[in-house]
Amino acid sequence: MVFIPQVGYIHPDEFFQTVEVVAGDEYGLDVRRTWEFDKAFPIRSMVIPFLGLKIPFGVLRFVSMYTRYFLGINLRGSYVMLVFPRLIMVALSFVNDWSLAQICKAYGLQSQFRLLTLASSYVMLVYSIRTFTNSIEMALCSLLLYIVSDCMIHSNTVIYQQEFLDEKYQKEKKLVEKVKLYKLRQSLPSHSLNRCVLMSTLCVAGVFNRPTFLLFGLPLVFHWLLRGLGTKKASLKDFNIRIFTFVLSGIPALLLFILGDSFYYGYLTMPEIEHLDVTINNFVVTPLNFVRYNINPNNTGAHGTHPFYLHLAINVPLLYNVLGVIALASFGVMMYRFASNEYTNLPRAQSFVGLMICAIFFPIVMLSFINHQEPRFLIPITLPLILLHAPKLKTGLCSSYPFKERTRMKE
C-alpha cells in the first residue's frame, strides 16, 4: 500500500500540515503554505516535522546526489517524495504494535488476537501510514498508554510487597528475622516517580504536535498520579509531589519546542540574542495559538459544522466497525449499571479496565463539544479500544471477564 500509492488522498492535511511545508523548506520549492503556518499567527509547531521529515529529507538529498551521478537514479522525483515520508510513518506505526504487545505481556493478556486486530484495522492500514499529525498523535498516545500501564502494575506490585513485608515485620518476634525483613523492605525499588521525565517530555511533544493530545493524555496522566492512593503506602502528599515533579520535568522539553518554533517563524534571531535584545514578544507558543483559534466556534465552524453526537454515533462505528459498536454498547451497559446503583459491577477507578475506559471515552466526550468533528480526530483511542474489546469479536458481549489473570501481581 505504501509502494503502490493510490490516486488521490484522504484529506489535504496529509500534505499541507507536514510534507508540503518541510519539502518546500528543504528543497527551496515554491509550495503553498496554509494559514496554519502564517508567521503572524502560527498554530502549528515545526519541531517534530523538522526532526521527523526535514532531517530525513536532507539525508535523502545528500544520497540523491551520488545515486544520480553514479547510477543515474534521481531520488528527488514525485514518486520518492510521496513514498519516502510514508515509509517513515510506517516505521512510526510500529510503536503502536510494540506498545500493545508490551501491555499484553505485562498484564498477562492474549496478545496475538489483539495484534491481529490492530494490524488489520482500517485505522492502521489507512491513517497510520500517512503523514497526518493525527497518526503521530496516535503513536505518542500508544506509547504513553504503555508507560502508564507499566507504572501502574509496577506500583501495585511494589506496594503489595511493602504491605506484605510490613505485616510480616510487625508479627515477627525474632530480632534476626526482623533485620532480614527490614533489609528486604529497603531493597524494594522506588515507584512513585517512575518514568516521570519520560512521560513529561512525551506529553509536551504530544501537545506541540497536536494540542488535542491534552484530551487523550489527561486521563492517562491522572491514572499515573493516582497510583497507590487509598493504600497505607501512598497519600495525598505523594499525589502533590508527583504533580509538582511532573510539571518540572516537562520544562526542558517545553523550552526546546518554544525556542525551535520561535527561531523557525522568525520571532527570535541570533543577532537579537547577541545584543540581548530579547523580550517576551520574541517567543511564540504554537499550542496556545491553536487553542485561541479553535476556542472560537466561528473559526472551527468555518471548516464545517457538525452535530455534537457525530463522534459517538457516526465516527466511532465508521473507524472501528463492529468493534466500535461493541465498545459503545459496553459503555452503555456500564452507564446503566451506574444509574442503577450497581457499583459493585463497575470497574475500579485505579484498575486497568478503568484506565482503558477513560482513555477511550473521555476524549470522545470532550471532542464532541467542538463543533468541527472528523473521524481522524479519534484515531488515538485505537489502542485502548482494541485492548479492552478485541476479545469480544470472538466471544461477543459475554458476562465473563475476558482477560487473563495478572500474573505479575502474584510474583
Side-chain angles (χ1 to χ4, degrees):
M1 294 182 67
V2 174
F3 291 101
I4 309 177
Q6 296 80 22
V7 178
Y9 50 81
I10 303 172
H11 195 283
D13 285 353
E14 175 187 352
F15 302 104
F16 290 144
Q17 288 185 359
T18 49
V19 178
E20 186 90 358
V21 179
V22 175
D25 292 340
E26 179 62 27
Y27 296 109
L29 302 175
D30 183 17
V31 298
R32 181 177 179 83
R33 299 176 67 90
T34 60
W35 59 274
E36 297 164 302
F37 299 92
D38 183 6
K39 293 184 178 181
F41 192 74
I43 70 170
R44 294 289 178 186
S45 174
M46 284 301 297
V47 176
I48 290 181
F50 181 90
L51 297 175
L53 288 176
K54 194 172 189 303
I55 293 177
F57 272 149
V59 175
L60 182 66
R61 183 176 62 170
F62 177 78
V63 173
S64 179
M65 292 189 299
Y66 291 94
T67 58
R68 184 169 52 183
Y69 181 80
F70 291 105
L71 303 175
I73 300 175
N74 182 17
L75 296 180
R76 295 172 60 180
S78 58
Y79 175 79
V80 176
M81 294 297 292
L82 176 64
V83 170
F84 182 66
R86 290 185 177 179
L87 282 176
I88 297 175
M89 296 305 297
V90 168
L92 181 64
S93 71
F94 283 105
V95 171
N96 302 292
D97 300 78
W98 181 83
S99 300
L100 177 60
Q102 292 301 312
I103 294 174
C104 290
K105 180 181 178 181
Y107 283 83
L109 306 178
Q110 184 183 12
S111 61
Q112 185 175 2
F113 185 75
R114 287 179 171 86
L115 286 170
L116 178 62
T117 304
L118 177 66
S120 60
S121 66
Y122 166 72
V123 170
M124 291 298 291
L125 293 176
V126 175
Y127 286 97
S128 68
I129 64 173
R130 297 174 186 266
T131 50
F132 287 111
T133 54
N134 308 90
S135 302
I136 301 173
E137 184 180 37
M138 179 172 67
L140 294 176
C141 285
S142 298
L143 188 57
L144 181 62
L145 183 66
Y146 158 65
I147 294 172
V148 172
S149 301
D150 190 66
C151 288
M152 285 176 61
I153 197 168
H154 177 69
S155 293
N156 291 340
T157 303
V158 173
I159 290 173
Y160 173 80
Q161 292 171 343
Q162 287 176 344
E163 292 179 341
F164 175 78
L165 291 174
D166 286 347
E167 184 180 354
K168 294 281 288 183
Y169 182 86
Q170 294 296 331
K171 293 180 179 180
E172 187 59 54
K173 296 181 179 180
K174 295 181 180 179
L175 182 60
V176 176
E177 295 299 325
K178 278 197 169 188
V179 171
K180 290 181 180 179
L181 291 171
Y182 177 79
K183 289 183 178 180
L184 283 174
R185 171 67 174 79
Q186 294 300 113
S187 65
L188 291 176
S190 61
H191 68 92
S192 184
L193 301 177
N194 197 23
R195 300 188 179 180
C196 183
V197 175
L198 178 59
M199 280 186 55
S200 298
T201 304
L202 196 63
C203 288
V204 171
V207 170
F208 272 83
N209 173 64
R210 283 188 66 85
T212 52
F213 186 89
L214 279 171
L215 303 179
F216 295 98
L218 185 61
L220 306 184
V221 173
F222 180 74
H223 275 78
W224 181 83
L225 296 171
L226 209 61
R227 290 169 300 129
L229 290 186
T231 66
K232 297 179 181 179
K233 302 302 176 182
S235 63
L236 189 61
K237 178 182 177 181
D238 297 288
F239 184 83
N240 293 330
I241 291 175
R242 289 170 188 173
I243 294 177
F244 182 72
T245 309
F246 181 83
V247 173
L248 285 182
S249 300
I251 291 177
L254 179 66
L255 294 177
L256 174 65
F257 276 87
I258 292 177
L259 288 174
D261 289 334
S262 299
F263 274 112
Y264 179 82
Y265 288 109
Y267 282 76
L268 185 65
T269 61
M270 289 306 298
E272 289 175 326
I273 296 176
E274 292 172 359
H275 293 87
L276 299 179
D277 186 20
V278 179
T279 65
I280 192 66
N281 295 324
N282 289 104
F283 300 98
V284 59
V285 185
T286 51
L288 182 60
N289 290 345
F290 183 96
V291 173
R292 288 171 58 191
Y293 177 86
N294 286 280
I295 204 171
N296 187 343
N298 295 327
N299 291 336
T300 53
H303 304 277
T305 303
H306 306 109
F308 70 92
Y309 55 81
L310 186 70
H311 276 325
L312 282 170
I314 305 297
N315 290 341
V316 171
L318 182 66
L319 287 172
Y320 303 105
N321 204 292
V322 177
L323 190 64
V325 175
I326 291 174
L328 293 174
S330 300
F331 185 71
V333 171
M334 191 186 73
M335 289 293 99
Y336 174 78
R337 289 174 178 172
F338 179 81
S340 303
N341 299 326
E342 299 179 17
Y343 302 122
T344 56
N345 294 325
L346 297 175
R348 289 175 54 250
Q350 300 181 36
S351 66
F352 175 79
V353 177
L355 170 65
M356 296 301 147
I357 291 174
C358 291
I360 296 169
F361 288 101
F362 179 81
I364 293 178
V365 172
M366 297 305 295
L367 288 171
S368 296
F369 287 103
I370 302 175
N371 60 358
H372 179 65
Q373 303 174 19
E374 297 180 27
R376 62 191 173 98
F377 294 169
L378 298 181
I379 64 173
I381 69 170
T382 301
L383 205 70
L385 194 72
I386 289 176
L387 275 165
L388 195 60
H389 297 294
K392 295 173 185 175
L393 293 175
K394 293 194 299 184
T395 61
L397 293 173
C398 59
S399 57
S400 60
Y401 192 65
F403 300 100
K404 293 183 179 180
E405 292 293 330
R406 303 178 189 178
T407 54
R408 278 181 58 181
M409 293 294 293
K410 295 184 177 182
E411 295 178 356

